[in-house]
Amino acid sequence: MKFLAGLKSESRLLVQYLIVIAVFLFMIIISSFFALRIVNKNIITYGEEVIMFSAETLTAYLRTHQITFEDAAYIVEDLYAKGESLDVIEGDMARMAEYLMEKDDEIYSGFLYIYGVIDGEFIQAFDRITVGAHDPAARPWYIGAYEKNGATYFSDPYNCLETGELIMTLSRLLFDQDDNSFGVLAFDLHFSTISDYVSRIRLMDAGYGALFDSELRFIVHTEESILGTRLDELVGTDGGFEDLAGYLRGGNELNAYRTTSYNGEDSIFFSKELFNGWHIYLGVPVGDFFQGAVAMQRTLAATGIFSMLLLCGIMTFMHIARKRSDEASRLKSSFLANMSHEIRTPMNTIIGMSELLLHSRLAERDKKYVNDINVSANSLLAIINDILDMSKVEAGKFELSPVHYDFHALVDDLTSTFMFVAKGKGIEFNLEYDGEIPIAQYGDDLRLRQALTNICGNAVKFTENGSISFKVTVPPEKDVIIFEIKDTGIGIRAEDIPKLFQVFVQSKSGKSRKITGTGLGLSISRAFIEMMGGSINVESEYGKGSLFTITIPMTDGDPSEIRRDEGFDKSRTISAPSAKILVVDDNEYNLRVACGLLGLFDINAQTALSGKKAIEMILADEYDIVFMDHMMPDMDGVEATAEIRKSGDKYKRLTIIALTANAIKGAKEMFLANGFDGFVSKPIEMQALTKILTEWLPPEKVREKTFDREAGADSAAGAGFWEALEKIEEIDAETGLLRVNGRKDMYRGNLKFFYEKLKADCDKMVSQINNEDFNNFSVAVHSMKSALASIGAAGLSEAALKLETASKGGDAEYCKEHFSAFIESLIRLNVQLSAVFPAAEAAKEKEKGCPVLLRESLERAIEAAGAYDNDEGIKILNKLTAYDFGEETGELMADALAALKQYDYDGAIGILRGI
């Protein structure tokens, strides 16, 4: 009573009750009405199909016998025209009868006799009919044939005078060459085949089938007492059927016709008239006919009432719970804000001390324990930071920290992150650009990244099937950037959308109940976006997906002011000359860069151009670390690592580090889950490489050293090289130097190697686009993206990224439309680099080659290729390239070298023999 008294004061809740009751009652009525219509329509359609199929089956049966009978009649007419005797005609009739009786076809199992009258004489196939026992001219089959005057007559069923069986007869007049009739031919059939079929007709396992003859007499019916009775003579419990008989005689058919049946039961009838004047019909009692519709109506009503009561109960408890939680939420927010400050200080200490311990010489088991502490502490600190951020926002003490940042890099990192996460769930994550996308922006990129990560993370989390679209739009003549994140996930209920951005609130209804979270992400995201002067809007349909739209002001940034990571002392490094390291990458440029950087640590690394070759080398030798590229054709890094791990316990302990252009948060978990021990991003940063080597190389092989940065200065190149390079707008040499720790000689060597491969790489991409080979094109342009970034060509690298994203997403139209401009830029870059690296420079360094040396070396290279030893073949050809054998021979050797590196042994042999 106290509860009800409390509800009286809650007028808003009472109004909600009334609305719910009214809506559900309306839904029950409307749904029942339309459901009944749909079900009844489907049942009627099904009844029409059943009677239509039954009529067609009977028609096919009768027509088949008609065709056979008419063939027999033609044969008799032909024999008569030839002047054959009646004995000969009877003999042929007997052979036809035997053929039909022996025919292995169920449809002819009802055949009985062939007989007739020719020139007044009775003839028959077998002596089964007693001659003289009756006058043929008085039989219905004889009279019917004359009535049809040349057409086939189908008699109504009658009892055979000889056997008493119910039979039917097909008969027709026989004509001579002058079209004068000379007799009648008849064909008897068992009627039981037809009656058995009609008796089995049912509609949804109910009702009965029946058959009228041409006079509307019952010739098949489940009630034997009315067989032979005409419809208009039948008297039921509610009267006669004269009107129905007149309706059928008028050429009409019954289609869900409702009337009283012979036994007084209310029924639904369907009928169809056959070609010979018979009528087949199907009767179903009304109760059986509508039982499915009635059951659905009751189910809908019961479900609606139950759902209505359940919803009212839920609304009541939610109302009470909300009132109680409002005060609890206020106290909780205050408590968490204060406690998180108290917890954060010792947490930072734990993280700092665990980092120091990880870099000390601990036992392997202890190091794993400390690493677990560090990982767990960082996870807990991330949650605490969210709480603190939200507390600062609510208290009005949070301030943004605007900087100049690389907008493309931010979008690329986010896209790469969630492509990996989405791929792990078997769904797609697609990036789309619209408008002129800026290169640099000025704002708080960390908070923008955090907001976008929260929205994209939720999209992936709540999507089990389908895809996620991440669209970045810059509308013309508007100084805003619009981010649209659209998913095909479980969606959000309309009543949950208003509280979507509340602190510590997370929808726990339906399919989202098992998905965990703090309920802070969306609240923090909206706060950050609004502090930037933007907005977040959401549209969602429960069960179909959601669309989040983030709009922020566009503020141009200065690319030259973008911060670079200077987080370590470049004058301090390590040396590990005895380390055994294998670098695996399908791109020669990437291999050269990686080996060059490892050379700074006095490491002479070995290389492999494919996952398969890497497996062979690992099984044949021992390595301290394997750097494995992720994206490679045929066998990618994940597949190669899985094969290596299967090779035994020794290889399960082998350190394998992923090389990837997608080295971001989402990728780390993916690589670790697939057997990698860590990863390094491409372009390779010295800080990350130093950390990996320090962490994973055996301690006894590593020693610290100090080197002079100026020792790497490019003294040989002179000022002319750098002056020529400054004229190329697409290349920022300072960015490229950062990739190699400021070593000018190394950067110059990398750039030269890039230039030497550029034309071949361009030709390969052009061929792939022309052949619409977008799978291999995505791998090629991915490698080009990394190479361009390594030399400092950020703009072209960004263009390559867009092409890579489009090709992976199957957007062939975008690739074809934008590839032309991209390849023209690369060709222009190739021409500009030709001024930086004149052809004469390479020529003057080579001495004239000896023809004898050339011939002997080519023979050994052909022998090596024939033995599938590409390492030996490459070694021989590399030595030959140090000499000048002429431009044509040099180009052919370069082609052969490329073929060997791709394991194209036959192609290499063909080229070498051509030389």
Side-chain angles (χ1 to χ4, degrees):
M1 296 299 295
K2 184 178 179 180
F3 170 74
L4 294 175
L7 284 180
K8 291 181 180 179
S9 61
E10 298 292 341
S11 58
R12 182 178 178 182
L13 183 60
L14 291 175
V15 171
Q16 290 176 347
Y17 283 163
L18 294 175
I19 293 174
V20 168
I21 293 171
V23 169
F24 269 91
L25 288 176
F26 178 77
M27 288 173 59
I28 291 171
I29 295 171
I30 295 298
S31 61
S32 297
F33 174 76
F34 285 104
L36 284 174
R37 290 191 61 183
I38 293 170
V39 172
N40 288 342
K41 184 178 180 181
N42 289 338
I43 294 174
I44 291 171
T45 301
Y46 181 55
E48 293 172 352
E49 292 174 352
V50 170
I51 199 68
M52 177 68 75
F53 177 80
S54 302
E56 289 174 352
T57 301
L58 283 181
T59 298
Y61 177 83
L62 295 174
R63 288 294 192 192
T64 300
H65 282 292
Q66 179 185 3
I67 292 170
T68 304
F69 169 71
E70 289 181 349
D71 288 342
Y74 291 142
I75 292 173
V76 171
E77 288 173 338
D78 185 62
L79 292 172
Y80 185 87
K82 292 178 179 179
E84 298 290 348
S85 66
L86 293 182
D87 291 338
V88 172
I89 293 175
E90 278 190 333
D92 273 2
M93 288 170 59
R95 283 190 289 276
M96 283 188 285
E98 288 174 353
Y99 170 76
L100 293 176
M101 288 179 174
E102 294 173 359
K103 195 169 184 179
D104 187 19
D105 192 338
E106 187 176 353
I107 200 169
Y108 292 102
S109 62
F111 171 76
L112 284 172
Y113 314 115
I114 300 178
Y115 55 91
V117 175
I118 297 178
D119 292 336
E121 294 289 326
F122 183 85
I123 62 172
Q124 59 179 321
F126 307 109
D127 294 330
R128 296 182 181 179
I129 301 174
T130 304
V131 179
H134 60 274
D135 181 10
R139 298 299 291 164
W141 57 269
Y142 190 93
I143 298 170
Y146 274 91
E147 289 176 350
K148 289 294 184 178
N149 193 28
T152 301
Y153 168 74
F154 290 80
S155 76
D156 292 329
Y158 62 93
N159 292 319
C160 178
L161 294 175
E162 301 292 329
T163 64
E165 294 178 307
L166 193 65
I167 64 173
M168 64 173 292
T169 302
L170 281 69
S171 61
R172 166 168 96 71
L173 287 178
L174 298 173
F175 295 93
D176 59 17
Q177 293 175 329
D178 298 323
D179 289 332
N180 296 317
S181 64
F182 62 86
V184 176
L185 187 68
F187 196 123
D188 283 353
L189 300 174
H190 279 295
F191 189 71
S192 59
T193 303
I194 295 175
S195 62
D196 289 344
Y197 174 79
V198 174
S199 299
R200 292 195 299 268
I201 298 175
R202 296 288 186 274
L203 179 63
M204 298 181 296
D205 296 325
Y208 57 91
L211 189 65
F212 294 127
D213 66 11
S214 59
E215 297 298 322
L216 291 182
R217 284 188 295 266
F218 290 94
I219 55 177
V220 178
H221 199 284
T222 55
E223 180 58 49
E224 295 183 358
S225 63
I226 65 175
L227 291 175
T229 305
R230 290 191 352 180
L231 179 62
D232 52 2
E233 297 174 349
L234 182 67
V235 178
T237 57
D238 293 335
F241 296 87
E242 294 87 357
D243 293 341
L244 181 59
Y247 184 79
L248 292 175
R249 285 196 179 97
N252 300 304
E253 296 177 344
L254 304 181
N255 183 18
Y257 185 90
R258 185 169 181 172
T259 187
T260 304
S261 68
Y262 72 96
N263 58 4
E265 189 173 11
D266 194 13
S267 301
I268 304 294
F269 292 92
F270 298 84
S271 77
K272 204 76 177 174
E273 184 177 5
L274 304 183
F275 71 96
N276 63 343
W278 294 358
H279 289 78
I280 183 172
Y281 80 90
L282 170 65
V284 184
V286 168
D288 294 331
F289 188 85
F290 291 109
Q291 63 179 346
V294 173
M296 175 173 286
Q297 187 177 34
R298 292 173 179 172
T299 302
L300 286 172
T303 303
I305 293 171
F306 175 80
S307 301
M308 177 182 67
L309 295 175
L310 179 63
L311 182 57
C312 289
I314 292 172
M315 288 169 56
T316 301
F317 286 103
M318 287 180 63
H319 180 77
I320 296 171
R322 186 183 64 184
K323 293 188 69 175
R324 292 177 178 175
S325 67
D326 286 344
E327 179 62 18
S329 294
R330 186 186 65 81
L331 295 174
K332 178 178 65 177
S333 298
S334 176
F335 169 78
L336 290 174
N338 292 327
M339 285 302 299
S340 51
H341 277 290
E342 297 297 325
I343 296 171
R344 190 170 183 175
T345 300
M347 284 304 304
N348 283 329
T349 302
I350 293 171
I351 292 172
M353 295 303 293
S354 62
E355 288 282 0
L356 291 174
L357 285 172
L358 285 172
H359 289 83
S360 63
R361 293 191 177 184
L362 294 175
E364 191 64 29
R365 185 184 65 176
D366 296 338
K367 182 174 288 187
K368 290 182 179 179
Y369 292 158
V370 174
N371 184 66
D372 290 343
I373 293 171
N374 184 266
V375 170
S376 299
N378 276 291
S379 299
L380 182 57
L381 186 60
I383 297 174
I384 294 171
N385 286 339
D386 281 347
I387 297 172
L388 284 175
D389 287 343
M390 200 65 241
S391 301
K392 287 180 181 179
V393 169
E394 291 178 341
K397 296 181 179 179
F398 191 92
E399 294 182 0
L400 298 177
S401 301
V403 296
H404 298 275
Y405 65 94
D406 187 334
F407 183 80
H408 282 279
L410 182 146
V411 174
D412 182 30
D413 286 350
L414 285 169
T415 303
S416 299
T417 298
F418 293 106
M419 274 186 175
F420 278 108
V421 179
K423 184 178 180 181
K425 293 185 68 176
I427 58 179
E428 295 181 0
F429 189 94
N430 301 314
L431 171 65
E432 181 180 355
Y433 286 108
D434 188 9
E436 293 295 328
I437 307 301
I439 295 176
Q441 282 287 285
Y442 181 75
D444 194 332
D445 61 324
L446 295 179
R447 301 309 174 188
L448 176 59
R449 184 190 299 268
Q450 187 174 347
L452 291 172
T453 298
N454 281 329
I455 304 297
C456 293
N458 284 342
V460 174
K461 186 192 302 183
F462 292 98
T463 301
E464 296 297 332
N465 298 293
S467 63
I468 297 163
S469 171
F470 180 35
K471 183 177 181 181
V472 183
T473 303
V474 178
E477 301 179 359
K478 289 186 179 180
D479 295 328
V480 295
I481 300 176
I482 301 173
F483 304 88
E484 292 176 301
I485 299 96
K486 184 177 182 180
D487 64 66
T488 58
I490 62 175
I492 306 165
R493 297 184 187 274
E495 60 268 25
D496 289 338
I497 291 179
K499 49 189 179 181
L500 196 62
F501 296 98
Q502 293 180 12
V503 181
F504 299 115
V505 173
Q506 187 180 44
S507 174
K508 290 295 180 182
S509 62
K511 300 177 182 177
S512 65
R513 187 175 297 275
K514 296 182 180 180
I515 301 177
T516 60
T518 62
L520 284 172
L522 290 177
S523 305
I524 295 173
S525 298
R526 185 176 69 171
F528 289 163
I529 295 301
E530 289 179 350
M531 290 178 70
M532 297 174 189
S535 63
I536 297 183
N537 296 312
V538 58
E539 300 172 21
S540 184
E541 185 174 353
Y542 187 71
K544 292 189 177 180
S546 304
L547 170 64
F548 283 80
T549 303
I550 299 176
T551 304
I552 62 170
M554 184 169 65
T555 306
D556 292 335
D558 185 355
S560 64
E561 294 294 325
I562 295 176
R563 292 177 299 181
R564 305 295 180 184
D565 187 0
E566 303 291 344
F568 74 108
D569 183 1
K570 295 180 180 177
S571 66
R572 306 292 297 178
T573 185
I574 63 172
S575 174
S578 61
K580 288 287 293 293
I581 290 180
L582 175 64
V583 183
V584 186
D585 199 308
D586 64 303
N587 185 286
E588 293 182 56
Y589 179 81
N590 291 338
L591 286 177
R592 177 176 179 130
V593 170
C595 291
L597 292 174
L598 289 169
L600 297 176
F601 303 95
D602 303 320
I603 296 173
N604 184 20
Q606 297 183 30
T607 62
L609 277 164
S610 68
K612 292 180 180 179
K613 183 62 179 178
I615 294 173
E616 295 177 8
M617 296 177 67
I618 290 169
L619 296 179
D621 204 345
E622 294 188 0
Y623 296 94
D624 298 313
I625 298 176
V626 176
F627 289 96
M628 181 77 70
D629 183 32
H630 174 217
M631 290 186 61
M632 294 185 290
D634 298 329
M635 177 183 283
D636 63 24
V638 173
E639 294 169 335
T641 299
E643 290 296 320
I644 293 168
R645 298 303 190 199
K646 293 178 185 176
S647 301
D649 293 338
K650 169 184 174 182
Y651 300 101
K652 290 180 181 178
R653 297 188 299 269
L654 175 64
T655 300
I656 304 178
I657 306 298
L659 290 173
T660 176
N662 301 309
I664 27 67
K665 180 181 178 181
K668 179 179 180 180
E669 288 73 16
M670 187 278 291
F671 286 128
L672 295 179
N674 283 280
F676 290 89
D677 297 289
F679 69 91
V680 174
S681 65
K682 291 190 295 186
I684 300 173
E685 300 285 351
M686 285 295 294
Q687 180 183 11
L689 187 57
T690 302
K691 182 179 179 181
I692 289 292
L693 294 175
T694 303
E695 180 178 357
W696 292 104
L697 282 176
E700 65 272 12
K701 293 187 177 184
V702 179
R703 65 175 184 269
E704 192 171 296
K705 74 171 183 177
T706 303
F707 72 93
D708 183 5
R709 287 190 59 169
E710 296 304 318
D714 188 18
S715 57
F721 169 80
W722 301 103
E723 290 176 359
L725 192 59
E726 287 179 0
K727 297 177 182 179
I728 302 177
E729 296 181 0
E730 287 83 358
I731 296 179
D732 181 2
E734 292 186 4
T735 300
L737 285 169
L738 288 173
R739 307 294 189 194
V740 293
N741 203 29
R743 295 290 297 269
K744 292 184 177 181
D745 55 341
M746 180 177 290
Y747 174 75
R748 183 174 183 274
N750 291 345
L751 184 61
K752 183 178 179 183
F753 187 72
F754 170 83
Y755 164 63
E756 291 171 347
K757 286 182 77 275
L758 182 56
K759 184 179 183 301
D761 290 342
C762 289
D763 291 342
K764 180 169 66 174
M765 289 189 291
V766 169
S767 175
Q768 290 164 345
I769 284 290
N770 290 338
N771 295 325
E772 297 188 354
D773 183 5
F774 294 108
N775 287 332
N776 286 320
F777 175 72
S778 66
V779 175
V781 79
H782 172 85
S783 299
M784 181 60 69
K785 175 189 71 175
S786 301
L788 288 166
S790 295
I791 65 171
L796 290 174
S797 179
E798 184 61 36
L801 168 64
K802 293 179 181 179
L803 287 169
E804 178 192 0
T805 303
S807 59
K808 288 180 180 177
D811 191 350
E813 184 176 348
Y814 179 92
C815 293
K816 292 178 179 178
E817 181 180 350
H818 293 82
F819 179 72
S820 296
F822 177 67
I823 202 68
E824 287 175 5
S825 298
L826 291 182
I827 293 171
R828 185 167 55 252
L829 178 61
N830 185 64
V831 173
Q832 293 171 330
L833 286 174
S834 65
V836 178
F837 300 104
E841 179 184 90
K844 68 181 181 181
E845 296 175 357
K846 296 182 180 181
E847 63 178 85
K848 192 70 173 177
C850 174
V852 176
L853 172 65
L854 175 62
R855 183 174 61 255
E856 293 177 351
S857 298
L858 289 177
E859 290 174 354
R860 288 192 291 113
I862 291 171
E863 183 180 351
Y868 302 105
D869 187 352
N870 71 319
D871 288 337
E872 180 63 21
I874 291 171
K875 181 179 178 181
I876 295 169
L877 292 179
N878 279 333
K879 289 181 179 179
L880 286 177
T881 56
Y883 300 94
D884 181 12
F885 293 101
E887 182 178 353
E888 182 180 357
T889 301
E891 290 179 355
L892 289 172
M893 285 194 296
D895 292 340
L897 188 61
L900 282 175
K901 289 178 179 179
Q902 298 296 325
Y903 301 98
D904 182 7
Y905 299 106
D906 292 337
I909 291 173
I911 295 170
L912 293 173
R913 285 177 175 168
I915 298 175

